[in-house]
Amino acid sequence: RTVEAEVHPCSFADVVAWQRRIHVPFIAPNQGIGSNWDWPALYLGCHLSEQTFGRQALAFQVRIADQTGAAVPVAQALLSLPYAWPGDKTHKCVFLWFVAATPVSALTAFGITDRFSVLPPVLDVAIQVSRSHGLEGRVGLHAAAGRTPDETNELVQRYVGHGLRRRSRLLGFSRFP
């Protein structure tokens, strides 16, 4: 079964609504990766810091309709461009700083019974943004370390399973400025 979705550019009000309706009640209590994120602060901080470096920050949500037709965000992401390509500093890319998916418990609470993966459409949007800005589809992804080595390995395997490549450990990790 196919679930119809839309990509919605986020305003500050959208990330505040995400924080209140999805993050605080469903993500924060689980203490997992991203549970301590403050999306309104990340949104404002990224916009300010990226402007300082001459880059642009963009946020978007992937939304589907609930049974009444109301839009429910199933994923949210914050990206930056043009960013130094992690694999080769001579090229630029779109860099995905923060990505979050709506937990199953939240989807259930909103009446959504379909199950699907949101990482592929988030990556697809990032690739399209990269291509539309002349960055040849290059996408960098900030991968936060998990609380345990097993969580980190699980996250890395999920990304590898979607065709992503881990950059050399010798290059270190990018951190949010």
Side-chain angles (χ1 to χ4, degrees):
R1 170 165 144 66
T2 301
V3 177
E4 193 172 310
E6 70 173 1
V7 175
H8 178 78
C10 287
S11 67
F12 183 70
D14 293 321
V15 296
V16 168
W18 172 279
Q19 187 77 17
R20 290 179 181 163
R21 294 182 61 217
I22 296 170
H23 187 86
V24 170
F26 297 102
I27 296 175
N30 293 331
Q31 301 293 309
I33 294 171
S35 62
N36 62 345
W37 292 352
D38 180 335
W39 278 94
L42 293 172
Y43 180 90
L44 293 175
C46 278
H47 278 81
L48 178 64
S49 65
E50 294 309 287
Q51 285 180 7
T52 302
F53 291 107
R55 297 186 294 250
Q56 180 181 10
L58 300 171
F60 67 90
Q61 293 176 346
V62 176
R63 296 176 172 183
I64 64 170
D66 68 10
Q67 295 167 341
T68 68
V72 175
V74 295
Q76 181 167 273
L78 187 55
L79 56 83
S80 169
L81 72 142
Y83 200 86
W85 174 237
D88 171 4
K89 300 295 185 196
T90 63
H91 291 94
K92 301 289 184 191
C93 69
V94 162
F95 197 83
L96 275 165
W97 278 112
F98 300 96
V99 178
T102 304
V104 171
S105 58
L107 294 173
T108 302
F110 296 127
I112 306 294
T113 57
D114 296 303
R115 297 294 172 255
F116 40 81
S117 175
V118 296
L119 188 56
V122 167
L123 292 174
D124 183 63
V125 170
I127 291 166
Q128 289 182 46
V129 170
S130 176
R131 286 187 176 167
S132 71
H133 284 84
L135 303 174
E136 301 176 4
R138 286 186 293 272
V139 174
L141 177 62
H142 178 254
R147 292 173 297 159
T148 66
D150 286 344
E151 279 186 3
T152 300
N153 289 335
E154 178 187 339
L155 184 60
V156 168
Q157 291 310 312
R158 190 176 313 152
Y159 291 155
V160 169
H162 287 288
L164 299 175
R165 180 172 47 110
R166 191 174 196 175
R167 73 182 208 177
S168 168
R169 290 177 189 253
L170 298 176
L171 295 175
F173 286 96
S174 298
R175 295 288 180 226
F176 184 66

